[in-house]
Protein backbone atom coordinates (compact mmCIF):
# COMPACT_ATOMS: atom_id res chain seq x y z
CA UNK A 1 0.00 0.00 0.00
CA UNK A 2 1.42 3.33 -1.06
CA UNK A 3 0.48 6.90 -0.26
CA UNK A 4 -0.91 8.62 -3.37
CA UNK A 5 0.43 11.92 -2.12
CA UNK A 6 4.07 11.27 -1.21
CA UNK A 7 4.49 7.65 -2.42
CA UNK A 8 5.53 6.59 1.06
CA UNK A 9 4.75 2.98 1.95
CA UNK A 10 4.64 3.90 5.63
CA UNK A 11 0.86 3.88 6.01
CA UNK A 12 -1.47 2.76 8.78
CA UNK A 13 -4.98 1.39 8.65
CA UNK A 14 -7.45 4.05 9.63
CA UNK A 15 -10.82 2.39 10.03
CA UNK A 16 -13.37 1.95 7.28
CA UNK A 17 -15.04 4.41 5.00
CA UNK A 18 -18.17 3.41 3.10
CA UNK A 19 -17.29 -0.23 3.68
CA UNK A 20 -13.77 0.09 2.34
CA UNK A 21 -10.51 -0.05 4.19
CA UNK A 22 -9.28 3.44 4.90
CA UNK A 23 -5.59 4.22 5.26
CA UNK A 24 -3.65 7.16 6.57
CA UNK A 25 -0.12 8.07 5.55
CA UNK A 26 2.28 8.42 8.46
CA UNK A 27 4.50 10.73 6.48
CA UNK A 28 2.06 13.39 5.26
CA UNK A 29 -1.22 12.54 6.97
CA UNK A 30 -3.06 11.91 3.70
CA UNK A 31 -6.05 9.60 4.03
CA UNK A 32 -7.01 7.32 1.20
CA UNK A 33 -8.98 4.15 0.57
CA UNK A 34 -7.95 0.79 -0.76
CA UNK A 35 -8.92 1.26 -4.34
CA UNK A 36 -7.66 4.81 -4.68
CA UNK A 37 -6.17 5.50 -8.09
CA UNK A 38 -3.38 7.99 -7.54
CA UNK A 39 -2.43 8.69 -11.13
CA UNK A 40 -4.61 10.17 -13.75
CA UNK A 41 -2.28 10.56 -16.64
CA UNK A 42 1.44 10.34 -16.09
CA UNK A 43 3.50 10.53 -12.94
CA UNK A 44 5.92 13.33 -12.18
CA UNK A 45 8.73 10.85 -12.64
CA UNK A 46 7.71 9.92 -16.16
CA UNK A 47 7.24 13.58 -16.92
CA UNK A 48 10.73 14.43 -15.70
CA UNK A 49 12.30 11.59 -17.68
CA UNK A 50 10.55 12.68 -20.85
CA UNK A 51 11.63 16.28 -20.35
CA UNK A 52 15.20 15.18 -19.71
CA UNK A 53 15.18 13.21 -22.97
CA UNK A 54 13.77 16.21 -24.77
CA UNK A 55 16.38 18.55 -23.32
CA UNK A 56 19.06 16.11 -24.44
CA UNK A 57 17.94 16.48 -28.00
CA UNK A 58 15.48 13.65 -28.52
CA UNK A 59 12.44 14.27 -30.68
CA UNK A 60 8.89 13.97 -29.47
CA UNK A 61 8.30 10.93 -31.63
CA UNK A 62 11.35 9.14 -30.25
CA UNK A 63 10.30 9.85 -26.68
CA UNK A 64 6.78 8.69 -27.46
CA UNK A 65 8.11 5.39 -28.80
CA UNK A 66 10.41 4.77 -25.85
CA UNK A 67 8.27 5.98 -22.96
CA UNK A 68 4.83 5.30 -24.39
CA UNK A 69 3.80 8.87 -23.64
CA UNK A 70 1.70 10.63 -26.22
CA UNK A 71 3.73 13.35 -27.90
CA UNK A 72 1.11 16.03 -27.29
CA UNK A 73 1.53 15.44 -23.55
CA UNK A 74 5.27 15.89 -23.91
CA UNK A 75 4.82 19.06 -25.94
CA UNK A 76 2.52 20.45 -23.27
CA UNK A 77 5.03 19.65 -20.55
CA UNK A 78 7.80 21.32 -22.50
CA UNK A 79 5.69 24.43 -22.83
CA UNK A 80 4.83 24.35 -19.14
CA UNK A 81 8.33 23.95 -17.80
CA UNK A 82 10.34 25.61 -20.54
CA UNK A 83 11.25 28.50 -18.29
CA UNK A 84 12.36 26.12 -15.56
CA UNK A 85 15.12 24.57 -17.61
CA UNK A 86 17.71 27.34 -17.73
CA UNK A 87 20.67 25.11 -18.64
CA UNK A 88 19.44 23.64 -21.86
CA UNK A 89 16.37 25.59 -22.73
CA UNK A 90 16.51 27.52 -25.98
CA UNK A 91 13.44 29.48 -27.07
CA UNK A 92 13.95 28.08 -30.58
CA UNK A 93 13.38 24.52 -29.44
CA UNK A 94 9.73 25.08 -28.60
CA UNK A 95 8.00 23.42 -31.53
CA UNK A 96 6.53 25.72 -34.09
CA UNK A 97 3.05 25.22 -35.45
CA UNK A 98 4.40 23.70 -38.65
CA UNK A 99 6.23 21.01 -36.76
CA UNK A 100 3.15 20.16 -34.77
CA UNK A 101 1.19 19.77 -37.96
CA UNK A 102 3.81 17.39 -39.27
CA UNK A 103 3.53 15.34 -36.13
CA UNK A 104 -0.23 15.18 -36.40
CA UNK A 105 0.07 14.08 -40.01
CA UNK A 106 2.60 11.43 -39.06
CA UNK A 107 0.39 10.04 -36.32
CA UNK A 108 -2.63 10.10 -38.62
CA UNK A 109 -0.82 7.99 -41.21
CA UNK A 110 0.51 5.48 -38.72
CA UNK A 111 -2.85 3.82 -38.06
ZN1 LIG B 1 2.01 10.51 2.27
Amino acid sequence: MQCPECQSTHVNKNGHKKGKQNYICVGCGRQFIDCYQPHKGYSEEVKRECLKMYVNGMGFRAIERIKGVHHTSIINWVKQVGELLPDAYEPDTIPRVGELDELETFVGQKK
Side-chain angles (χ1 to χ4, degrees):
M1 191 51 64
Q2 203 179 33
C3 171
E5 194 71 26
C6 65
Q7 272 75 53
S8 167
T9 53
H10 194 184
V11 298
N12 284 334
K13 290 186 177 178
N14 190 41
H16 287 77
K17 228 176 200 176
K18 292 174 187 168
K20 286 175 176 142
Q21 180 66 54
N22 192 39
Y23 293 90
I24 185 164
C25 173
V26 175
C28 68
R30 169 73 181 247
Q31 291 185 46
F32 54 97
I33 53 172
D34 225 344
C35 62
Y36 188 84
Q37 294 290 320
H39 296 306
K40 276 187 177 157
Y42 304 105
S43 70
E44 282 298 311
E45 196 186 344
V46 169
K47 186 172 164 178
R48 264 199 305 276
E49 284 173 4
C50 290
L51 286 169
K52 203 188 291 176
M53 291 163 110
Y54 171 74
V55 166
N56 284 304
M58 287 186 70
F60 296 115
R61 273 174 279 176
I63 300 171
E64 180 176 356
R65 275 200 302 275
I66 291 167
K67 302 295 291 180
V69 175
H70 198 268
H71 64 267
T72 53
S73 296
I74 303 167
I75 291 167
N76 283 333
W77 296 340
V78 168
K79 284 177 180 169
Q80 280 167 20
V81 303
E83 300 85 15
L84 305 176
L85 302 168
D87 289 335
Y89 173 64
E90 302 276 341
D92 290 349
T93 58
I94 291 291
R96 292 184 304 275
V97 173
E99 289 174 348
L100 292 178
D101 284 343
E102 269 176 40
L103 281 175
E104 294 300 336
T105 308
F106 172 79
V107 172
Q109 288 167 348
K110 205 164 57 173
K111 289 254 142 55

